[in-house]
Amino acid sequence: MPFDYSLDFPNIDFRQHPELYRVGKGEQGVLLVEPYKSEILPYWRFKTPDIAKESSEKIYELFLAYLEQDDFVGADMARKFIQMGYTRSRRYANHKSGRKYKQDSQNTSSKKEILPYEVDPVKAESAAIFKAKWVEAKTNEKYLQLLAKHKQMYEVG
């Protein structure tokens, strides 16, 4: 089932109501699902490789702690923050401004123009650090078991 953006996110505690959580695709809902967003976001940084290493390791520790508590929603949110560390640092590695598309108010066509690549090796290294942790998280045996259980219990279409 797709991520449900129609929920009253400011008033739902997903730790108390995991049945309302939908995995969705990629990073969907990463900045909406509480209390996890508030628990994880303060550690999410990727400006330099040292900062990315510290950040990815701390968020991965949270991921493992959520798994230890059989808290799938928390683990999935930590996985999403790690994934977002990869995708955002990769975007900045490719585009100094962090913007992938040219902003053109004159262009009324639906096709957006992609900005040229300006490779930043520092951000690319940050991306690689997060990518390694993301792969570790998304292939974790217990995570995969809890994911299957969550989908079976709550996301049957």
Side-chain angles (χ1 to χ4, degrees):
M1 291 181 77
F3 190 82
D4 185 357
Y5 285 102
S6 71
L7 296 175
D8 184 12
F9 287 96
N11 295 307
I12 298 172
D13 179 334
F14 283 88
R15 185 169 282 129
Q16 300 301 315
H17 296 283
E19 73 279 3
L20 297 175
Y21 180 75
R22 298 295 175 264
V23 175
K25 292 184 192 268
E27 304 154 22
Q28 288 183 319
V30 74
L31 297 175
L32 295 172
V33 177
E34 291 288 5
Y36 307 104
K37 179 191 96 171
S38 294
E39 293 171 1
I40 303 166
L41 184 60
Y43 303 107
W44 184 72
R45 303 285 181 268
F46 57 88
K47 188 172 186 173
T48 68
D50 287 342
I51 291 169
K53 183 174 180 357
E54 184 179 329
S55 174
S56 65
E57 287 175 357
K58 177 60 182 171
I59 296 171
Y60 192 75
E61 284 175 22
L62 292 171
F63 170 81
L64 293 175
Y66 292 130
L67 288 180
E68 201 170 290
Q69 298 162 22
D70 289 331
D71 183 345
F72 170 73
V73 179
D76 197 50
M77 288 294 294
R79 189 254 327 146
K80 287 181 180 195
F81 269 97
I82 293 169
Q83 181 177 354
M84 189 168 67
Y86 165 65
T87 59
R88 294 309 180 279
S89 51
R90 189 69 248 167
R91 183 181 302 156
Y92 278 92
N94 294 339
H95 305 283
K96 189 175 184 176
S97 69
R99 294 175 193 257
K100 182 176 179 178
Y101 298 102
K102 182 177 182 180
Q103 292 202 307
D104 183 5
S105 58
Q106 302 298 322
N107 185 358
T108 56
S109 74
S110 61
K111 192 169 185 171
K112 295 180 179 179
E113 184 181 340
I114 295 177
L115 290 168
Y117 284 98
E118 305 170 66
V119 177
D120 179 338
V122 172
K123 293 292 186 301
E125 189 177 339
S126 292
I129 289 165
F130 269 102
K131 185 176 184 183
K133 282 293 181 201
W134 175 38
V135 169
E136 204 174 331
K138 73 180 185 172
T139 60
N140 177 286
E141 185 85 24
K142 183 160 185 184
Y143 170 77
L144 292 171
Q145 290 170 358
L146 291 178
L147 171 63
K149 183 179 175 183
H150 184 84
K151 285 187 171 190
Q152 181 183 16
M153 289 177 63
Y154 304 123
E155 298 195 30
V156 175

